Amino acid sequence: MSFESMALGPLIGSEVFATPEQLLQPGVGPALRSLLVERGVLVFREINLSDEQQVALAASMGALREEGEKNIFKITLDQNANERAEYLKGSWLWHIDGTHDSVPVFASLLSGRVLSATGGQTEFANSYAAYEALSPQMKERIGGLRVVHSFKTSMRNAGIAPTEANVAYWNSIPDRTHNLVWTHASGRKSLVIGCHADHVEGMDPAESAALLQELLTWATRPEFVYRHEWTPGDLLIWDNTGVLHRAEPYPLDSGREMHRTTLLGEEAFS
Ligand code: OGA
Ligand code: MN
């Protein structure tokens, strides 16, 4: 194999050591993909991929979702670059991307281009490991539960102004109901929770809110979390189907800019 890797903790994260040229060798994409599914997050420190190399690496791992320009989507709070930039504040809370789709995206590649002087680090929590470590009683309790996920709830939780135009847009994205425990085709199970989780179907509202909060607090305990402190040129890849993620808040005018490429999902929540 043309890369080496080292676990960054027992339950989440591996650092991969390779040059861009080694990563783009035939056969490396599928090997990285297996490591990603096993470890949740892969870290390539100061690898300094060009946009084209990033897209080529992503394409070697799966089918690309069309986003941004030539599959490079710029994450920035600069309103001139993205008219809904403010919505990115939703990424400051623990979340899974695409809970308003039936098939969520599989994975994202994120390169640090311009960092914020303060804040803007990124954290990941392994939702497979968090499920696995629950007590048998809790597994029993949540086994059959279904949760309604709402874009509006995530925007409200993020404190984004409910202007008429915003609310009209939020309401245009239909709610989705998913099993609280996702049994993947592999047989592994993970928790589907985050700032978009509105309520447990059919449960008393106070009990539902308490349960969702308890599970989120559990799943984001330090042993399940990898926190990435960025250096320009770092690349991260995360398995969106098995980790929660969030960015630490950063100033709106920080200039922070990350380049993202996303792999299409292959499995529906189930
Ligand atoms: C995302 C995301 C976090 C970050 O791209 O989906 O949540 O640190 N990004 O920018
Ligand atoms: Mn995200």
Side-chain angles (χ1 to χ4, degrees):
M1 192 42 65
S2 42
F3 65 85
E4 284 181 36
S5 69
M6 182 186 79
L8 294 169
L11 295 177
I12 182 168
S14 279
E15 180 165 354
V16 176
F17 305 95
T19 63
E21 293 68 32
Q22 286 168 332
L23 289 182
L24 295 168
Q25 297 288 317
V28 173
L32 284 177
R33 198 184 157 104
S34 320
L35 187 63
L36 175 63
V37 171
E38 199 183 306
R39 304 292 308 157
V41 187
L42 303 181
V43 177
F44 306 73
R45 286 190 217 275
E46 294 183 79
I47 189 158
N48 286 300
L49 295 188
S50 66
D51 285 345
E52 292 71 24
Q53 286 173 324
Q54 176 168 322
V55 172
L57 178 62
S60 75
M61 297 175 71
L64 302 186
R65 177 170 83 171
E66 284 207 13
E67 64 173 357
E69 233 170 86
K70 296 192 186 156
N71 296 313
I72 294 288
F73 178 77
K74 293 184 181 162
I75 309 275
T76 163
L77 287 170
D78 178 357
Q79 307 271 348
N80 298 322
N82 174 354
E83 61 175 326
R84 296 214 169 95
E86 199 198 1
Y87 288 14
L88 291 173
K89 283 193 198 165
S91 68
W92 295 353
L93 302 173
W94 287 108
H95 66 283
I96 299 173
D97 294 332
T99 48
H100 42 272
D101 301 324
S102 60
V103 180
V105 298
F106 164 52
S108 289
L109 292 82
L110 193 69
S111 285
R113 293 304 171 99
V114 182
L115 305 182
S116 177
T118 56
Q121 311 300 353
T122 309
E123 293 183 301
F124 301 89
N126 189 333
S127 58
Y128 283 121
Y131 173 79
E132 199 43 51
L134 286 172
S135 68
Q137 293 79 358
M138 183 59 102
K139 286 181 181 167
E140 173 80 26
R141 177 176 174 207
I142 66 175
L145 299 181
R146 289 175 62 73
V147 174
V148 177
H149 295 263
S150 157
F151 187 67
K152 187 158 63 177
T153 301
S154 60
M155 294 290 103
R156 281 217 195 100
N157 284 337
I160 296 165
T163 60
E164 214 172 303
N166 275 345
V167 172
Y169 179 66
W170 301 346
N171 282 333
S172 74
I173 300 175
D175 290 354
R176 289 257 180 194
T177 306
H178 305 298
N179 291 337
L180 175 49
V181 178
W182 180 359
T183 304
H184 299 246
S186 62
R188 294 167 80 203
K189 294 182 178 188
S190 67
L191 294 170
V192 180
I193 50 176
C195 66
H196 31 71
D198 187 74
H199 66 277
V200 178
E201 216 171 49
M203 189 178 273
D204 163 74
E207 191 189 337
S208 155
L211 176 61
L212 290 172
Q213 187 54 54
E214 180 181 350
L215 290 172
L216 192 61
T217 302
W218 169 262
T220 56
R221 283 162 60 111
E223 63 263 40
F224 305 125
V225 171
Y226 169 69
R227 171 185 168 85
H228 188 69
E229 307 250 350
W230 289 94
T231 301
D234 287 352
L235 168 74
L236 298 184
I237 309 180
W238 71 92
D239 172 1
N240 180 60
T241 69
V243 301
L244 306 172
H245 63 285
R246 72 170 174 186
E248 186 184 18
Y250 50 96
L252 296 190
D253 61 355
S254 71
R256 185 183 192 264
E257 183 177 308
M258 316 304 257
H259 286 193
R260 186 179 75 188
T261 305
T262 296
L263 296 176
L264 282 174
E266 294 166 12
E267 240 189 84
F269 288 110
S270 64

